[in-house]
């Protein structure tokens, strides 16, 4: 029996060897598919799973031996019309196309090259194209429309009925005139995060995977996954890009500049994730169309497509309830509406309580004077967003955007005054309202213009009631900005494109301090107008191996009679198939910054207020940056390293948030920062793991201070993130660890803490807080509730180990002694989400 089995094995093996030899000698002979698959299995060590009926009666010329496995699958798909899908553990599923499955190969119309990492979606399902441009998508019914989107190309809409059900056909996409950008690294950290050839990082939420600790696609939390981007106090209102302050970030929502970024005074993003389709992050090499944001740009986009069918979602988590609808208006127009509101009116969840405790730490809301009792503390927020798109014709398109955001915290201050109980209400509110209009005209296949105008208004207001003195202190900080911009794109040929434009920006900033007893009122309003012209040339080689852009921006500030010239460039080169090299550089400036006059301003909750430069004691902030990087991407491995050097001049001590001997000093200076951002990522089947490391050396230079050079308040020298995800079609789970060295701190001398009634500080930022450590987990489950409804349920835990990380330390004099006041990070914070898509 053993001999018989061995003989059978040898016979099969000999037959396969001989068949392989025959195939190699004569590729013109047709072979049964079953025999071809057996040879391919032995050649590449992959196992094919199929039923006999699937491959019965199919003959083909065997694929050449010199093809890679991926190229071999591509060959088999084209010759057989079957669907070959790579599964886990070197298994390949072989299936016939069915009426509810569509497939294809996505290619560029210009040069027939495969388009990788394009998003293909229909109804509730979506996928991305592989390295050969191949995709397959399961539909719910034959009446659906398939949408195909790829960076730098016009969206392709194709009805399900128009797909060829007998084979996977080639689909050609036309390049957009505005951009020659192309994805060079897909799935940069997790699925849905890509890197573009101009140095931009892009997050596509329609195909987003999962990040540790997040179950909602929070825009500003998600961007912190990139190396070189941190928040030293865990908020989205204090994002530090390569050592810069949050006010040095340009935050755009559909090209509208926003001066507020968070709800809950910075703990979650104020931009509704259901209406935000994509996010672009630029750390350097910024496009000349952008001004401001000397540290970086975070540009959010809603969907650019006119939806043909009604769709929407409703959801609830431990913070808010939300809803979203996309309503078609005929065949040429659709409107998207999204809204959120806090649920604390109905239920103060554990997440809400942890958030409220975090924002009220060391403020008047938490601790008032000893004979004053605070009560009836409430917090509420809401936001509404709208996007209307109307394609007037094949050449004309208009877009209208609107966003309204509000946060309010209220509490009562109670005390016994003259033997009677008195109560007065204090509150702080933060509001933003903005609208934008865009008209795009495509004159022909080479020339396009985009006209854009927007208005954005921001207001921070606080009523601080002094119940003992029957006094009311009103503070307001407001910003009103109008921008008008015209961009022109002209394609010289398939390789070169010219961009030119003009922009006018008027910014008004007002600050009000108003006291009723004794009567005092101080209102300061300033206005600055800027006129800009810019031009840029973009080049992309025919083979897409070489890409560069070079341009400049000329800004004229009429109030100061000053001209600022800003050159910018990016260069990207692919080589040796799997390597990419890039060099980026830019000059930028900005006229607005956030300062802190007193730590008690605005009830101590949101102490920062916007101000305008006056080109004297408040200089124009200017930056220069250069960076270079290299990456390797092959077989699921990604290794990326980028070094940079940045100088920023014109900062003030008030804008840096000093809480030591320089807290009340007003002077101007600069900082320079150099560092390295490193990432290694490995994909293996359904698993994805990454390790990122950021090193930074960030130094202040203030010539008017006793210490002219010392560590920046944002000098987080070492930052490590370790993450792991597991994803299937219906289930996703992620865990991750964040660790970084403590931020700089200034402690008093141990044996002589107070001198002449003031804290006797050691040299500025000569010490550091303890290292920071946080473990996060999250999980999502998708299911079909009905034929027309899909559900998503998720749970997350932020800071699983409940580590008491100290994120800030200050000192105050109390009864002649120094008192240390620590601000702690969020503790163990659970969250839950349930959402229905229809």
């Amino acid at each position: 029996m053993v001999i018989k089995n061995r003989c059978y094995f040898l016979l099969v093996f000999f037959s396969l060897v001989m068949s392989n030899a025959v195939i190699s000698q004569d590729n013109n002979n047709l072979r049964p598919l079953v025999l071809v698959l057996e040879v391919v299995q032995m050649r590449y060590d992959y196992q094919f799973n199929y039923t006999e009926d699937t491959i019965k009666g199919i003959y083909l010329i065997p694929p050449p031996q010199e093809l890679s496995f991926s190229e071999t699958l591509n060959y088999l798909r084209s010759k057989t019309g079957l669907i070959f899908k790579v599964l886990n553990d070197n298994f390949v599923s072989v299936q016939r196309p069915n009426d509810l499955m569509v497939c294809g190969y996505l290619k560029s119309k210009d040069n027939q090259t495969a388009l990788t990492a394009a998003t293909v979606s229909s109804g509730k399902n979506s996928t991305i194209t592989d390295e050969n441009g191949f995709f397959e998508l399961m539909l719910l019914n034959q009446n659906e429309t398939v949408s195909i989107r790829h960076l730098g190309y016009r969206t392709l809409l194709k009805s399900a009925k128009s797909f060829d059900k007998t084979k996977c056909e080639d689909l050609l996409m036309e390049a957009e005139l505005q951009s020659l950008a192309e994805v060079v690294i897909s799935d940069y950290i997790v699925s849905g995060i890509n890197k573009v050839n101009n140095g931009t990082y892009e997050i596509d939420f329609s195909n987003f995977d999962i990040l540790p600790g997040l179950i909602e696609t929070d825009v500003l939390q998600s961007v912190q996954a990139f190396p070189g981007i941190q928040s030293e106090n865990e908020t989205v209102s204090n994002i530090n890009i390569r050592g810069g302050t949050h006010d040095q970030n340009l935050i755009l929502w559909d090209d509208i500049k926003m001066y507020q970024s968070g709800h809950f005074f910075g703990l979650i993003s104020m931009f509704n994730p259901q209406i935000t389709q994509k996010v672009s992050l630029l750390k350097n090499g910024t496009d000349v169309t952008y001004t401001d944001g000397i540290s970086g740009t975070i540009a959010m986009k809603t969907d650019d497509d006119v939806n043909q069918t009604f769709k929407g979602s409703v959801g609830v988590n431990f913070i808010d309830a939300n809803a979203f609808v996309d309503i078609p208006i005929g065949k040429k127009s659709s409107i998207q509406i999204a809204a959120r509101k806090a649920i604390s009116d109905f239920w103060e969840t554990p997440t809400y309580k942890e958030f409220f405790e975090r924002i009220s730490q060391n403020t008047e809301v938490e601790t008032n004077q000893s004979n004053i009792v605070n009560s009836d503390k409430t917090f509420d927020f809401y936001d509404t967003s709208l996007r209307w798109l109307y394609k007037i014709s094949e050449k004309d398109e208009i877009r209208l955007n609107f966003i309204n955001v509000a946060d309010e915290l209220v509490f009562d201050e109670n005390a016994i005054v003259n033997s009677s109980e008195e109560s007065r209400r204090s509150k702080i509110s933060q509001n933003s309202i903005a609208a934008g209009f865009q008209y795009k005209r495509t004159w022909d296949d080479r020339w396009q213009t985009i006209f854009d105008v927007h208005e954005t208004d921001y207001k921070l207001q606080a009523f601080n009631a002094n119940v003992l003195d029957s006094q009311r202190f009103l503070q307001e900080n407001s910003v009103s900005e109008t921008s008008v911009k015209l961009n022109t794109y002209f394609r010289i040929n398939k390789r070169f494109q010219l961009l030119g434009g003009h922009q006018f920006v008027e910014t008004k900033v007002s600050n009000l301090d108003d006291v009723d007893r004794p009567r005092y009122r101080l209102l300061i309003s300033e206005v600055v107008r800027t006129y800009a012209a810019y031009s840029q040339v973009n080049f992309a080689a025919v083979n897409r191996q070489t890409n560069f852009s070079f341009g400049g921006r000329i800004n004229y500030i009429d109030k100061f009679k000053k001209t600022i010239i800003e050159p910018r460039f990016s260069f990207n080169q692919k080589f040796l198939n799997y390597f990419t090299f890039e060099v980026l550089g830019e000059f930028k400036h900005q006229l607005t910054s956030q300062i802190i006059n007193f730590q008690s301003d605005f009830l101590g909750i949101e102490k920062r207020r916007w101000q305008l430069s006056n080109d004297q004691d408040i200089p124009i902030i200017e930056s220069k940056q250069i960076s270079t990087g290299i990456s390797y991407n092959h077989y699921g491995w990604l290794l990326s390293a980028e070094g940079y050097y940045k100088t920023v001049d014109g900062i003030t001590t008030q804008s840096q948030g000093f809480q030591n001997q320089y807290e009340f000093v007003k002077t101007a200076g600069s900082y320079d920062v150099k560092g390295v951002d490193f990432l290694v990522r490995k994909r293996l089947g359904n698993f994805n793991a990454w390790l990122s490391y950021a090193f930074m050396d960030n130094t202040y230079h203030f010539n008017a201070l006793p210490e002219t050079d010392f560590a920046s308040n944002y000098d987080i020298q070492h930052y490590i993130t370790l993450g792991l995800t597991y994803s299937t079609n219906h289930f996703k789970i992620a865990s991750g660890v964040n660790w970084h060295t403590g931020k700089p701190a200034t402690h008093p001398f141990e044996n002589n803490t107070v001198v002449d009634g003031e804290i006797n500080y050691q040299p500025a930022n000569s010490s550091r807080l303890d290292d920071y450590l946080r473990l996060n987990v999250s999980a999502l489950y998708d299911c079909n509730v009905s034929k027309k409804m899909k559900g998503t349920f998720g749970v997350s835990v932020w800071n699983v180990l409940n580590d008491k990380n100290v994120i800030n330390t200050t000192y105050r004099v109390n009864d002649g002694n120094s008192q240390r006041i620590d601000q702690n990070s969020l503790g163990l914070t659970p969250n839950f989400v349930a959402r229905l898509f229809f």
Side-chain angles (χ1 to χ4, degrees), residues 339-367:
R340 280 190 298 178
K341 188 185 183 305
I343 62 172
S344 53
D345 292 345
F346 312 101
W347 181 28
E348 293 188 357
T349 65
T351 309
Y352 169 86
K353 293 177 180 178
E354 189 69 31
F355 277 20
F356 192 92
E357 180 182 344
R358 167 65 178 80
I359 66 171
S360 61
Q361 275 187 68
N362 307 326
T363 69
E364 189 174 323
V365 179
E366 180 187 53
T367 306

Side-chain angles (χ1 to χ4, degrees), residues 5 48 92 228 283-284 365 395 485 621 627 652 754:
N5 289 339
F48 289 87
V92 180
K283 295 190 282 187
N284 193 11
V365 179
K395 294 186 176 183
K485 180 163 61 175
I621 307 174
S627 64
T652 64
V754 178

Side-chain angles (χ1 to χ4, degrees), residues 253 256 258 400-403 433-437 453-457:
W253 183 74
I256 302 172
M258 305 303 299
L400 181 67
N401 293 90
F402 174 80
I403 186 170
I433 185 169
F437 171 82
V453 58
H454 75 250
E455 170 71 24
T456 181
D457 292 282

Side-chain angles (χ1 to χ4, degrees), residues 209-210 215 730-733 778-782 792-794 833:
D209 199 357
I210 188 173
I215 47 177
H730 297 285
F731 180 69
K732 302 174 183 177
I733 187 169
S778 54
L780 287 170
Y781 177 71
D782 297 330
T792 296
F793 304 90
V833 64

Side-chain angles (χ1 to χ4, degrees), residues 740-782:
H740 65 74
T741 52
K743 62 175 290 188
T746 309
H747 300 304
F749 286 99
E750 291 186 6
N751 299 323
N752 196 16
T753 59
V754 178
V755 174
D756 296 331
E758 295 183 353
I759 301 294
N760 184 25
Y761 284 105
Q762 298 177 22
N765 290 347
S766 57
S767 303
R768 289 186 178 271
L769 300 179
D770 292 337
D771 293 351
Y772 177 99
L773 179 65
R774 187 182 76 239
L775 171 65
N776 301 326
V777 296
S778 54
L780 287 170
Y781 177 71
D782 297 330

Side-chain angles (χ1 to χ4, degrees), residues 79-98:
K79 297 298 182 182
T80 65
L82 299 177
I83 296 176
F84 292 79
K85 185 174 183 180
V86 180
L87 306 175
N88 297 331
D89 301 322
N90 285 23
F91 283 90
V92 180
S93 171
V94 185
Q95 300 174 347
R96 286 186 179 274
N98 60 55

Side-chain angles (χ1 to χ4, degrees), residues 44-109:
Y44 299 104
D45 195 26
Y46 273 81
Q47 177 69 44
F48 289 87
N49 290 340
Y50 51 84
T51 62
E52 183 178 350
D53 291 339
T54 300
I55 63 174
K56 184 178 180 179
I58 299 179
Y59 293 81
L60 74 158
I61 298 174
Q65 292 189 26
E66 62 269 18
L67 295 182
S68 67
F69 180 70
S70 178
E71 292 170 336
T72 299
L73 288 186
N74 197 20
Y75 178 90
L76 294 174
R77 288 165 179 154
S78 64
K79 297 298 182 182
T80 65
L82 299 177
I83 296 176
F84 292 79
K85 185 174 183 180
V86 180
L87 306 175
N88 297 331
D89 301 322
N90 285 23
F91 283 90
V92 180
S93 171
V94 185
Q95 300 174 347
R96 286 186 179 274
N98 60 55
D99 291 339
L100 294 180
M101 177 74 76
V102 296
C103 63
Y105 293 90
L106 199 61
K107 297 181 179 180
S108 171
K109 187 177 181 180

Side-chain angles (χ1 to χ4, degrees), residues 212-214 221 224 234 355 738 772 774-777 796-802 825-831:
L214 299 179
Q221 289 283 6
Q224 296 179 44
E234 297 185 328
F355 277 20
N738 293 71
Y772 177 99
R774 187 182 76 239
L775 171 65
N776 301 326
V777 296
S796 68
V797 181
W798 183 279
N799 194 2
V800 174
L801 303 178
N802 199 28
S825 65
L826 280 170
L828 188 149
T829 307
N831 200 2

